[in-house]
Amino acid sequence: MSDRLTLAVPSKGRMAAPALELLEAAGLSFEAGERALSVPCANAPVDLLLVRAADIPEYVQDGVVQAGITGANLVAEAGVEVVTLTELGFARCSLQAAVPDDAPQTTLAELAGLRVATAYPHSTRALLEERGVDVELVPVSGSVEASPRLGLSDAIVDLVSTGSTASANGLRLVGKLLDSQAVLIGRGESSPLLERLELMLSAVVAARRRRYLMMNAPASTLDTIRGMLPGMGSPTVLPLADEGQIAIHAAVEADDVWDLLGPLKAAGASSILVVPVERLVP
C-alpha cells in the first residue's frame, strides 16, 4: 500500500475554490497554481490531483485515486460504485424538473410522455423511473433553460440553487429529484491516511455549523439559561471572582444564534461573546 494518499479535487467550477479552502482549513499546506495538475502537500503525505469534477467519480471507482471531492449529483450521473464518506456542506443544490410558466403540469408524474431536456440524462432517467415516470430525454449541454423556448423540449431537469435562473427564463419548478452538495467519496477501502483525512474534513464541516458562546450571568439564572442553550451536551460553568456570578460556555448551532442573543440578555446574561469554531471532533 502506498505511503501517500492521492485526493482528486475539482480544478474548475463552483466547487474548486471551496474545496481547496476546506482542505486548507483542515490543516493541509499546499500551493496550487492555475495550471497545476498534481499538487503535493508540504505537511502531510497527501497529493492533490486537480481534475474535472465530473471525472472524479470514475477516477475513484477505477482506483486512480483513493478519494475525491465532487458533487453528489455527479456521482449519481456517473452511475459508479463508490461510497460517500462525508458530506462537505458546500455547493448545495438540487436536481429539479421545470416546465414553462403557461404549461399545465404541476407534478413530476405529469411529465410522463413529455420531451425533457437535461445535461444529466443518466441520473434523470433513473430518478424518474424510480417514480414510475417515463419520458423522452433530450440530452443537451449549456443553456438547458432555453430548450422549451427553442422548441427542443416540453420540460427540463437541471440543477437549481435558488430557482431564480428558472424563473428568469419563464420556467416553473414542478418537483425535486435529488438533493446535492459536495461530498468526499472513496471506494469503501479504508486506510489510516484516508481515515485521518475524513476525520479532519468532518471536524471542519462540523465546526462551521456551530458557534461558541461565552457569557457572564448571575448564578441564580443558570437553570433558565441552560434551558435556552440547545448545544452539545451540558454547558461549561465556571465561577467568577465576583460572588454569585458565573461564566457559561456552550457550543450551539450557528443558525440558532439569531434567536438566542436577545433572550439570553433578557435572562440576565452579559458580556456575551460569539466566536467561530475552527474544528470540532465529537
Side-chain angles (χ1 to χ4, degrees):
M1 183 176 296
S2 173
D3 58 354
R4 296 188 67 84
L5 182 144
T6 303
L7 173 69
V9 181
S11 58
K12 297 179 180 179
R14 67 194 188 108
M15 283 189 289
L20 294 177
E21 290 170 3
L22 176 61
L23 293 172
E24 288 181 336
L28 293 178
S29 176
F30 53 85
E31 295 184 8
E34 290 185 3
R35 298 187 179 182
L37 175 62
S38 181
V39 179
C41 293
N43 64 335
V46 177
D47 297 314
L48 308 182
L49 184 66
L50 304 181
V51 292
R52 289 198 325 142
D55 294 334
I56 291 176
E58 192 74 39
Y59 284 7
V60 173
Q61 175 183 259
D62 295 347
V64 176
V65 296
Q66 291 97 323
I69 294 175
T70 188
N73 66 297
L74 296 176
V75 176
E77 180 63 19
V80 293
E81 294 293 329
V82 298
V83 176
T84 297
L85 302 174
T86 303
E87 293 181 335
L88 301 178
F90 64 89
R92 293 183 182 274
C93 58
S94 58
L95 194 64
Q96 297 209 40
V99 297
D101 283 331
D102 57 358
Q105 292 80 19
T106 59
T107 66
L108 289 173
E110 293 175 301
L111 298 180
L114 299 184
R115 297 171 299 155
V116 177
T118 182
Y120 307 96
H122 297 99
S123 52
T124 295
R125 183 179 299 281
L127 293 166
L128 286 175
E129 286 180 349
E130 287 178 4
R131 294 163 172 78
V133 181
D134 186 27
V135 301
E136 178 187 344
L137 283 181
V138 182
V140 297
S141 59
S143 301
V144 179
E145 297 88 353
S147 299
R149 188 169 63 250
L150 297 174
L152 296 176
S153 68
D154 306 302
I156 71 165
V157 169
D158 201 12
L159 287 181
V160 174
S161 295
T162 64
S164 59
T165 301
S167 178
N169 283 274
L171 299 172
R172 172 171 41 84
L173 302 178
V174 295
K176 182 190 300 183
L177 297 175
L178 176 74
D179 283 315
S180 181
Q181 63 176 290
V183 292
L184 176 70
I185 60 173
R187 299 179 66 191
E189 301 170 353
S190 184
S191 72
L193 282 177
L194 184 54
E195 290 176 0
R196 185 180 303 180
L197 175 67
E198 183 182 352
L199 174 65
M200 297 302 288
L201 294 181
S202 297
V204 174
V205 173
R208 287 177 172 179
R209 296 198 302 264
R210 293 175 173 84
R211 296 294 182 267
Y212 196 69
L213 289 185
M214 296 180 285
M215 69 201 79
N216 297 338
S220 59
T221 65
L222 175 58
D223 289 342
T224 300
I225 291 177
R226 181 175 177 178
M228 299 166 59
L229 297 174
M232 301 171 52
S234 299
T236 299
V237 181
L238 304 170
L240 295 178
D242 293 337
E243 185 175 352
Q245 294 291 310
I246 56 175
I248 304 173
H249 297 190
V252 301
E253 294 290 332
D255 292 342
D256 292 335
V257 172
W258 172 266
D259 294 321
L260 277 174
L261 297 188
L264 285 173
K265 187 172 180 60
S270 61
S271 301
I272 303 173
L273 295 180
V274 182
V275 297
V277 181
E278 184 174 326
R279 292 182 192 133
L280 178 59
V281 180

